[in-house]
Amino acid sequence: PDKKKLHTAPVGQAFRLRPFHVLVATGGGYAGYRKYNDYKLEQLEKRGIEVPVKLASEWEVALYKSVPTRLLSRAWGRLNQVELPTWLRKPVYSLYIWTFGVNMKEAAVEDLHHYRNLSEFFRRKLKPQARPVCCVHSVISPSDGKILNFGQVKNCEVEQVKGVTYSLESFLGPRISTEEMHFSQAPPGNSFQQQLVTKEGNELYHCVIYLAPGDYHCFHSPTDWTVSHRRHFPGSLMSVNPGVARWIKELFCHNERVVLTGDWKHGFFSLTAVGATNVGSIRIYFDQNLHTNSPSYSKGSYNDFSFISNNNKEGIPMRKGEHLGEFNLGSTIVLIFEAPKDFKFNLKAGQKIRFGEALGSL
């Protein structure tokens, strides 16, 4: 009887753990398969071949979301904080530089031994002259990256990449009370999109910028504006690379994100930092109350914070080019803003852009 117990106890334990192991293995294997498909799509795009849109089904999205990306991202964050011995820093960082094509000549500190851990290396600052800020155009790129999409918002839907959309209201969340905003209340019968447009003759515009792992990871203010409100959506941390953005509809609405809203000289203005796999950490420099990728998050909820108070009725003023925040690897920034109808983007979809370069102007 004792011998039988010795054999059956571990089997029982294994049986209890097996569903989780199967789920992780299946989800992880499928994520790997998707990565391979993304690579093939990138190669086709480089050759100028049009790639047809093929959206994921509900079960594929559910399977992908079963991968514990939040847990893995927290583990990755802790690993990034581990101080590396001096002799190991150069080989580790050199491998990363070679893999992702990092230009260290732009870094404020080029000596790899200076960076004590991966986190410090990811968040490296640039030389002051490395990114001149365009003074001519009214809106500049807040970061380095690749332009995934841009243009006018139509029918309350925004394109994350060509042909794949997401709901404007799902992405930004319910309209913020007008007591916190400087502009007037739109008629209640109007659509969500029309409620955001505060001045007659204006349109709503959007721009999506993808930051690759090798890009500069800080982001800056894209124009002169005032930040009135922050909304934090805890959520998944799926990859946001262009291949996945083309595959999963409303990807940006699934993922953790921080929405900053306020106004500029033409009305409504918002900047949203979208989290991704291994990018659970989104930091906004003036917002000490923000804590992203927390284990105590509640799915489907959001947390609001107002920068309008009795002592500060204006909110947080930001100057064009001013430091705003940072990611801990690479991710996505989405700008949604109001401007007159003659606003023009100076962009092409798929182009590389650097912080400080013009996005568009009147």
Side-chain angles (χ1 to χ4, degrees):
D2 292 342
K3 193 172 182 181
K4 190 175 180 182
K5 282 181 184 176
L6 284 171
H7 283 290
T8 55
V11 171
Q13 287 174 2
F15 179 78
R16 284 196 296 273
L17 292 171
R18 193 176 297 149
F20 175 75
H21 289 161
V22 169
L23 199 62
V24 171
T26 307
Y30 194 73
Y33 166 72
R34 288 301 316 169
K35 283 279 186 187
Y36 173 66
N37 272 353
D38 295 342
Y39 171 76
K40 288 199 299 184
L41 289 174
E42 281 178 20
Q43 297 308 305
L44 289 172
E45 279 186 339
K46 283 178 183 176
R47 288 158 54 190
I49 299 170
E50 185 77 20
V51 181
V53 172
K54 186 184 176 186
L55 293 176
S57 61
E58 285 186 22
W59 72 265
E60 286 177 309
V61 175
L63 187 57
Y64 191 4
K65 289 174 85 169
S66 73
V67 181
T69 50
R70 295 186 64 84
L71 184 63
L72 292 171
S73 296
R74 282 196 290 274
W76 176 253
R78 290 194 184 97
L79 181 65
N80 286 351
Q81 300 292 335
V82 174
E83 186 167 338
L84 296 174
T86 308
W87 62 269
L88 190 57
R89 293 174 192 177
K90 190 169 182 179
V92 169
Y93 302 147
S94 294
L95 177 63
Y96 187 90
I97 289 164
W98 177 78
T99 304
F100 296 110
V102 178
N103 182 3
M104 283 304 290
K105 286 187 169 58
E106 297 176 332
V109 181
E110 293 184 45
D111 181 13
L112 298 180
H113 296 106
H114 167 80
Y115 303 99
R116 293 173 297 176
N117 53 44
L118 282 162
S119 183
E120 281 189 8
F121 178 69
F122 293 146
R123 294 181 288 108
R124 64 193 175 277
K125 297 295 186 282
L126 299 181
K127 290 170 182 166
Q129 69 275 19
R131 296 288 185 276
V133 174
C134 175
C135 298
V136 178
H137 292 79
S138 57
V139 184
I140 60 165
S141 177
S143 66
D144 288 9
K146 178 181 180 181
I147 301 294
L148 292 192
N149 216 296
F150 63 92
Q152 276 190 25
V153 176
K154 295 176 181 175
N155 304 318
C156 296
E157 292 274 317
V158 188
E159 282 193 315
Q160 56 195 29
V161 294
K162 187 179 178 182
V164 182
T165 62
Y166 56 93
S167 157
L168 182 65
E169 188 167 6
S170 296
F171 182 69
L172 295 177
R175 178 145 165 77
I176 297 153
S177 68
T178 51
E179 292 172 9
E180 297 181 27
M181 310 302 273
H182 299 301
F183 30 83
S184 60
Q185 175 71 52
N190 286 359
S191 70
F192 183 81
Q193 178 179 334
Q194 290 168 325
Q195 288 178 40
L196 296 181
V197 177
T198 64
K199 297 179 181 178
E200 194 173 343
N202 279 3
E203 297 285 351
L204 205 60
Y205 296 87
H206 74 103
C207 183
V208 183
I209 305 165
Y210 166 68
L211 289 75
D215 287 327
Y216 166 57
H217 294 138
C218 297
F219 50 94
H220 301 246
S221 177
T223 192
D224 295 339
W225 66 307
T226 302
V227 183
S228 307
H229 189 272
R230 179 260 292 159
R231 178 169 282 162
H232 170 219
F233 289 84
S236 301
L237 287 172
M238 294 186 281
S239 171
V240 292
N241 76 42
V244 178
R246 190 184 293 107
W247 179 57
I248 296 180
K249 184 178 169 64
E250 301 216 328
L251 171 65
F252 299 155
C253 298
H254 288 294
N255 271 17
E256 180 148 16
R257 60 198 181 278
V258 177
V259 182
L260 300 178
T261 52
D263 61 300
W264 70 319
K265 61 184 177 182
H266 299 298
F268 174 81
F269 199 97
S270 73
L271 179 149
T272 301
V274 183
T277 310
N278 295 337
V279 197
S281 172
I282 301 169
R283 186 179 168 202
I284 304 296
Y285 295 137
F286 58 73
D287 188 354
Q288 301 305 312
N289 296 302
L290 176 66
H291 300 288
T292 57
N293 197 12
S294 167
S296 58
Y297 85 102
S298 176
K299 191 176 180 181
S301 67
Y302 58 83
N303 311 302
D304 281 340
F305 186 86
S306 174
F307 298 109
I308 304 289
S309 65
N310 292 332
N311 299 326
N312 176 22
K313 296 186 184 300
E314 292 300 312
I316 310 290
M318 296 297 300
R319 303 294 295 171
K320 183 165 71 171
E322 189 178 345
H323 273 87
L324 182 54
E326 63 190 37
F327 293 110
N328 218 355
L329 195 53
S331 197
T332 297
I333 288 177
V334 180
L335 302 179
I336 297 173
F337 58 93
E338 173 185 0
K341 287 180 179 177
D342 54 351
F343 182 88
K344 293 284 187 292
F345 284 104
N346 304 317
L347 302 172
K348 290 181 181 176
Q351 79 172 70
K352 289 289 288 180
I353 198 162
R354 305 204 303 177
F355 154 60
E357 293 177 348
L359 287 183
S361 194
L362 297 165

